[in-house]
Amino acid sequence: MVDTEDAAIVARCLAGEHNAYEAIVHRYQKGLFNVALRMLGNYEDAKDATQTAFVKAYEHLDSFNPEQRFFNWLYRILKNECLNVLRGRRPSEPVSLDLPAGSGADPVEARERQQAVQAALLALSVDYREVVVLRHFTDLSYDEIAATLGIPLKTVKSRLYTARQQLGDKLVGWHVAR
Amino acid sequence: MNTFNEDRRNDNDEVSMMLNDLPQVDPPASLAPTVMSTIAEHAKAPVTQPQVTFTRRGSRMAKGTTAKRVLWSVAAAAAVALVALRVAGYPPVEEGTEATIGAAQRYQAPQIAAADVKVEDQQFQSFLQSDLFRQLVNDKAAREALKDESLQKALSDLNVRNALSNEVIRTAISNNAVLWAKYLANNDVINQVRLDAKNLAVLQAALTASPALVAAISNVNIADAIANSNLALVLANSEAMVAVRNDAVLNAMFNASSNARIDAVNNASSNASGNVINK
């Protein structure tokens, strides 16, 4: 689906055909949900943030610029929701890392490693975390990340480099089974 | 599984590989139906319906609740009030006290300072030391009457004082406190008191403007003071009137000996209330 198709769906929604919005939800729900999941580290919070982002996007469809990529606009709404959730958390509140584990030769080790990676991800600042999340959990290129975040390309690369350095420091001793 | 694009395949360091190893998680099956049902409700609801935010466990919470709006309204009103008070200069801060540590910046009514009351005229000083003034200010009713601004204004007019210095007029007014206007309109009375039309009009206007004057004329001390030309000195001296209105100053004045009254007033009033009558 190209952006012109998104724009056409938006036009139908604005004309009163609200069921047309379902195509957009199905199109982007997996990407947005995984972004929220990695940003928040909690399944339920990610689900709530994603649902809220979709509803808010629908409520403000009239402010969407069809010349803009729909995902970029949707992501900004989701990011605000994630920030709201993070702000609502008390500093001492433990974050659930009960995330689905991937497959591997050693499921137990893979699960522990993935939990360590997720914990390290949550320890990053939001600015660093989001470039990592957009880079590794969406199909966005560096240029697209820059456009989505509204920052220069070199800033994206710089943040990504620093974020990986910080993650590397936190994940010493962990390796991916080859 | 992760979706790799060209850039991503280039991210082949250990950290990137561990990140890429994190699985893509399928969203809950209820996500899309929940969103669409919420949108359907939203489409049916009036435009003014508050926005919806999903919270943990899928419950929904209306944002922009009344309580929140009231809270913001009160906060905004308080902020505006604080800014207004600040701009208006309240509470006032006297110069030189800005660095006083811990001093309460409460409002204080301006006190009469030493320079506020000055007696420069020898004639006025004599009047202050006279038995007449002593009687006048020792008379509570007279003092209260003299505090009345309408009375002060009326008696500050020479024409009014001249008219009231006529004992016949004072007696007539004090005997006819209610019907003085009718009395003064009587041609026989006018002829008797020998007031010309202009002075009569001034007197009538003064009496009309100041019921306190009408009432005070029956006071013998007021009457004597009106008849005494030195009263004009007191009435014409706004600084002296400040002292007359101030019981502390008057008490201090008449607790002192007659010969050193002014000096005693200076000392006593400065100690009692900060009011000083300077020579």
Side-chain angles (χ1 to χ4, degrees):
Chain A
M1 187 182 289
V2 295
D3 286 352
T4 52
E5 293 179 44
D6 285 345
I9 293 173
V10 169
R12 286 165 58 196
C13 292
L14 290 174
E17 191 183 343
H18 71 265
N19 286 333
Y21 192 67
E22 191 167 7
I24 283 183
V25 176
H26 282 296
R27 167 73 178 167
Y28 294 113
Q29 65 172 344
K30 187 168 184 177
L32 285 187
F33 176 75
N34 276 275
V35 167
L37 187 64
R38 299 306 171 185
M39 289 292 288
L40 300 173
N42 181 279
Y43 190 89
E44 291 295 333
D45 285 345
K47 185 185 78 173
D48 292 337
T50 307
Q51 287 178 165
T52 302
F54 274 120
V55 173
K56 283 191 173 178
Y58 178 84
E59 290 171 341
H60 297 93
L61 275 181
D62 55 348
S63 65
F64 168 65
N65 178 5
E67 296 177 358
Q68 186 183 3
R69 191 178 177 195
F70 193 80
F71 177 84
N72 293 0
W73 185 67
L74 203 50
Y75 170 76
R76 290 196 188 106
I77 297 173
L78 177 70
K79 179 184 173 182
N80 287 333
E81 288 307 311
C82 290
L83 291 175
N84 287 339
V85 172
L86 293 172
R87 275 193 288 265
R89 283 180 183 165
R90 287 171 292 186
S92 59
E93 186 177 350
V95 176
S96 167
L97 297 176
D98 188 19
L99 303 174
S103 60
D106 186 345
V108 175
E109 184 189 345
R111 184 181 185 85
E112 289 177 351
R113 184 182 63 249
Q114 289 163 0
Q115 287 188 339
V117 174
Q118 178 64 46
L121 199 53
L122 291 174
L124 294 177
S125 70
V126 171
D127 284 345
Y128 289 140
R129 198 187 314 167
E130 69 177 349
V131 290
V132 171
V133 169
L134 289 175
R135 182 81 184 111
H136 292 275
F137 299 94
T138 69
D139 287 331
L140 299 184
S141 66
Y142 288 156
D143 288 326
E144 289 169 332
I145 293 172
T148 301
L149 300 180
I151 58 177
L153 177 62
K154 64 179 181 180
T155 305
V156 172
K157 292 180 177 177
S158 168
R159 286 183 185 177
L160 200 53
Y161 175 81
T162 305
R164 284 173 177 158
Q165 292 291 108
Q166 292 182 5
L167 287 173
D169 292 341
K170 297 175 189 300
L171 294 171
V172 173
W174 288 102
H175 302 280
V176 178
R178 299 180 189 254
Chain B
M1 288 296 293
N2 294 334
T3 303
F4 290 88
N5 58 26
E6 189 62 31
D7 290 331
R8 193 172 179 182
R9 277 192 287 272
N10 294 329
D11 300 332
N12 56 5
D13 58 287
E14 189 69 35
V15 170
S16 296
M17 291 173 68
M18 282 193 280
L19 288 166
N20 294 340
D21 189 51
L22 288 177
Q24 285 276 355
V25 180
D26 288 330
S30 63
L31 195 152
T34 303
V35 170
M36 293 312 296
S37 65
T38 305
I39 287 172
E41 290 175 18
H42 179 91
K44 293 175 188 173
V47 178
T48 54
Q49 184 181 7
Q51 292 180 354
V52 170
T53 295
F54 291 91
T55 58
R56 283 206 180 196
R57 308 297 175 253
S59 61
R60 282 182 288 165
M61 179 178 70
K63 291 191 83 176
T65 60
T66 303
K68 207 169 185 179
R69 288 176 189 167
V70 168
L71 182 64
W72 278 109
S73 300
V74 170
V80 169
L82 284 173
V83 170
L85 287 175
R86 188 69 181 169
V87 170
Y90 184 87
V93 180
E94 295 178 24
E95 284 188 20
T97 60
E98 295 89 342
T100 304
I101 299 173
Q105 296 187 347
R106 60 181 178 272
Y107 177 77
Q108 293 182 329
Q111 299 294 313
I112 301 172
D116 289 337
V117 181
K118 296 177 182 175
V119 179
E120 299 173 348
D121 191 290
Q122 187 62 39
Q123 191 181 8
F124 182 39
Q125 288 184 37
S126 297
F127 178 66
L128 289 181
Q129 295 180 67
S130 68
D131 289 336
L132 172 61
F133 188 69
R134 183 186 182 90
Q135 290 171 7
L136 186 66
V137 294
N138 271 342
D139 183 334
K140 188 177 179 182
R143 278 167 52 182
E144 291 301 315
L146 284 174
K147 291 177 183 177
D148 187 275
E149 288 189 11
S150 67
L151 181 143
Q152 291 172 20
K153 185 178 178 183
L155 291 182
S156 65
D157 188 321
L158 177 62
N159 292 322
V160 174
R161 287 202 308 276
N162 284 341
L164 291 178
S165 63
N166 186 317
E167 186 178 358
V168 175
I169 292 180
R170 290 202 310 272
T171 303
I173 294 173
S174 60
N175 290 339
N176 300 274
V178 179
L179 301 173
W180 62 264
K182 185 177 180 181
Y183 176 79
L184 288 180
N186 187 304
N187 286 331
D188 291 338
V189 173
I190 293 171
N191 290 332
Q192 186 182 358
V193 299
R194 298 180 179 176
L195 275 178
D196 61 32
K198 179 183 176 183
N199 285 333
L200 179 63
V202 169
L203 178 61
Q204 287 176 322
L207 294 171
T208 301
S210 178
L213 176 61
V214 176
I217 286 173
S218 60
N219 182 300
V220 64
N221 288 320
I222 292 280
D224 289 344
I226 290 172
N228 189 313
S229 60
N230 286 331
L231 175 65
L233 295 171
V234 177
L235 296 171
N237 190 317
S238 60
E239 296 161 345
M241 289 310 298
V242 170
V244 171
R245 294 190 198 106
N246 191 309
D247 289 340
V249 171
L250 293 175
N251 289 336
M253 184 183 294
F254 291 102
N255 284 334
S257 67
S258 59
N259 291 335
R261 190 164 290 154
I262 299 298
D263 291 336
V265 166
N266 285 337
N267 295 329
S269 60
S270 62
N271 290 334
S273 63
N275 301 338
V276 177
I277 298 178
N278 297 321
K279 283 189 176 181

